[in-house]
């Protein structure tokens, strides 16, 4: 495929994304104006059938990994409501009026933080004035990564920012985005352990009467995360190759913690499109380094991954950032651990 054809395809993708982003901003502005008028209305969305349960701590979570960890620790003592629908990619999703209703009535609101859910500040301002919900950024305490020299395409080298936790705590969501903080903390089991502890501590604080249950279920989840971490550590230590090419820059924590290097077609968000020249450079890197597979993900279009694979003469394979389940995965009973196990097996195939 020529450079000009690649450039034309990428430009078409970017134009469509820009129009969609503009429409989403207008819709969100309208939602904020209307939300206070419709707080008692019934809406059809991911939590349209969700109800608060008396006698349990009611928790609203933003997307799948946070929901999965919370449900595992909360068990029978917590009523956990997830906002993001099955099969939806979380970077560009925004909440509906019924989500505001449910969260206003809950005791806890868990979100990832680190800039992932850019809608959270306005969402929290839209809650009922008498709400008692406590909001918790469950990634607090993870040593965050930033993208150095990022030109908006997410191709900069990543490094650890020793002040990143301060940025995440003190800065607005827009400031966090300006610092190019990588929000994909949960993709590494090491970071997931920190997130799980934050969730457990918040549940215990909100519902101390059921502390023993939360502690017991947390220990069971921690054991599974520690086992997964050890498998990644042991098995990836033996692979001869260490570089991967991924569709979007979601694997920084995974590659940092297990001695790999990622090269991304797109940036920290799937909206951060590459240029045609980026594709050509990545194709050269793939050929020079002998990389055999380009990784793509199910909740994001695979067109650019396939374009790069065709340009470089290699194959594609799934590497899942576990941002959510597809409907098929939900039907099949997949979860965080089965998807991460599949990730490990695919990495071993690609890096052998």
């Amino acid at each position: 495929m020529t450079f000009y054809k690649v450039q034309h395809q990428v430009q078409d993708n970017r134009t469509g994304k820009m129009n969609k982003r503009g429409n989403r901003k207008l819709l969100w502005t309208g939602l904020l104006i209307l939300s206070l008028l419709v707080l008692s209305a019934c809406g059809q969305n991911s939590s349209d059938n969700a109800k608060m349960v008396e006698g349990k701590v009611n928790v609203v979570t933003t997307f799948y990994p946070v929901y999965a960890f919370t449900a595992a620790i909360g068990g029978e003592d917590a009523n956990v409501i997830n906002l993001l629908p099955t099969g939806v990619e979380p970077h560009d999703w925004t909440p509906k009026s019924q989500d505001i209703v449910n969260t206003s009535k809950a005791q806890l609101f868990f979100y990832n933080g680190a800039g992932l859910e850019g809608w959270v500040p306005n969402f929290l301002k839209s809650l009922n004035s008498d709400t008692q919900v406590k909001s918790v950024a469950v990634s607090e305490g993870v040593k965050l990564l930033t993208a150095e020299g990022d030109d908006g395409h997410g191709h900069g080298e990543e490094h650890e920012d020793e002040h990143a936790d301060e940025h995440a705590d003190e800065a607005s969501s827009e400031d966090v985005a300006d610092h190019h903080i990588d929000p994909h903390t949960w993709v590494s089991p090491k970071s997931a352990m920190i997130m799980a502890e934050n969730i457990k501590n918040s549940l215990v604080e909100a519902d101390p009467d059921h502390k023993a249950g939360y502690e017991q279920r947390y220990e069971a989840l921690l054991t599974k995360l520690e086992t997964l971490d050890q498998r990644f550590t042991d098995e990836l230590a033996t692979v001869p190759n260490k570089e991967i090419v991924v569709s979007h820059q979601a694997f920084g924590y995974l590659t940092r913690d297990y001695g790999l290097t990622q090269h991304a077609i797109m940036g920290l968000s799937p909206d951060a499109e590459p240029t045609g020249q980026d594709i050509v450079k990545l194709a050269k890197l793939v050929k020079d380094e002998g990389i055999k597979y380009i990784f793509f993900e199910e909740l994001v279009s695979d067109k650019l991954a396939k374009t790069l694979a065709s340009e470089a003469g290699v194959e594609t394979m799934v590497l899942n950032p576990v941002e959510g389940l597809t409907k098929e995965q939900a039907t099949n009973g997949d979860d965080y651990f089965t998807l991460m196990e599949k990730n490990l097996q695919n990495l071993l195939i690609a890096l052998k």
Side-chain angles (χ1 to χ4, degrees), residues 1-236:
M1 180 176 293
T2 67
F3 166 79
Y4 297 102
K5 288 182 179 178
V6 172
Q7 180 70 56
H8 186 264
Q9 178 176 340
V10 171
Q11 184 62 44
D12 286 346
N13 289 342
R14 184 184 296 114
T15 300
K17 293 282 189 179
M18 290 174 64
N19 291 337
K20 287 164 63 179
R21 284 198 295 270
N23 290 338
R24 280 192 293 270
K25 289 179 180 178
L26 291 174
L27 287 172
W28 176 242
T29 301
L31 170 63
L32 291 180
I33 296 172
L34 293 173
S35 60
L36 296 178
L37 300 177
V38 297
L39 284 176
S40 61
C42 293
Q44 295 296 318
N45 64 11
S46 60
S47 57
D48 55 351
N49 296 319
K51 297 184 183 300
M52 299 298 111
V53 177
E54 190 172 349
K56 295 186 178 184
V57 59
N58 293 282
V59 188
V60 174
T61 61
T62 54
F63 76 124
Y64 175 71
V66 180
Y67 169 80
F69 299 153
T70 304
I73 298 169
E76 62 187 15
D77 298 317
N79 176 43
V80 187
I81 301 166
N82 194 42
L83 295 183
L84 198 72
T86 300
V88 175
E89 205 280 333
H91 286 85
D92 296 321
W93 179 86
T94 52
K96 312 286 191 300
S97 59
Q98 188 63 34
D99 299 323
I100 297 172
V101 173
N102 290 329
T103 305
S104 295
K105 296 176 181 178
Q107 286 77 55
L108 292 169
F109 172 65
F110 289 159
Y111 65 106
N112 186 74
L116 179 73
E117 307 99 330
W119 49 267
V120 163
N122 286 332
F123 179 78
L124 294 177
K125 291 176 184 177
S126 300
L127 299 181
N128 281 354
S129 59
D130 61 350
T131 183
Q132 298 297 309
V133 68
K134 179 181 179 182
S135 61
V136 179
V138 301
S139 65
E140 183 177 353
V142 175
K143 192 167 187 179
L144 299 178
L145 289 170
T146 61
E148 184 179 66
D150 195 319
D151 62 357
H153 304 307
H155 295 150
E157 292 295 323
E158 289 182 330
H159 69 280
E160 294 181 18
D161 185 347
E162 62 184 5
H163 302 298
D165 290 315
E166 298 174 13
H167 292 325
D169 290 340
E170 298 174 3
S172 69
S173 60
E174 292 181 357
D175 292 331
V176 169
D178 289 342
H179 284 93
H180 304 301
I181 292 177
D182 184 347
H184 304 87
T185 53
W186 64 92
V187 185
S188 168
K190 293 184 186 297
S191 298
M193 293 182 211
I194 297 173
M195 297 168 65
E197 184 175 13
N198 289 336
I199 290 168
K200 181 264 295 182
N201 290 342
S202 296
L203 286 169
V204 169
E205 181 181 353
D207 184 24
D209 290 344
H210 296 106
K211 177 180 179 180
Y214 296 135
E215 293 279 2
Q216 182 179 14
R217 289 184 292 266
Y218 162 72
E219 291 296 334
L221 177 62
L222 181 62
T223 297
K224 292 179 69 175
L225 287 170
E226 288 174 339
T227 300
L228 185 65
D229 169 50
Q230 195 61 54
R231 281 180 52 75
F232 269 82
T233 299
D234 293 344
E235 299 197 32
L236 290 177

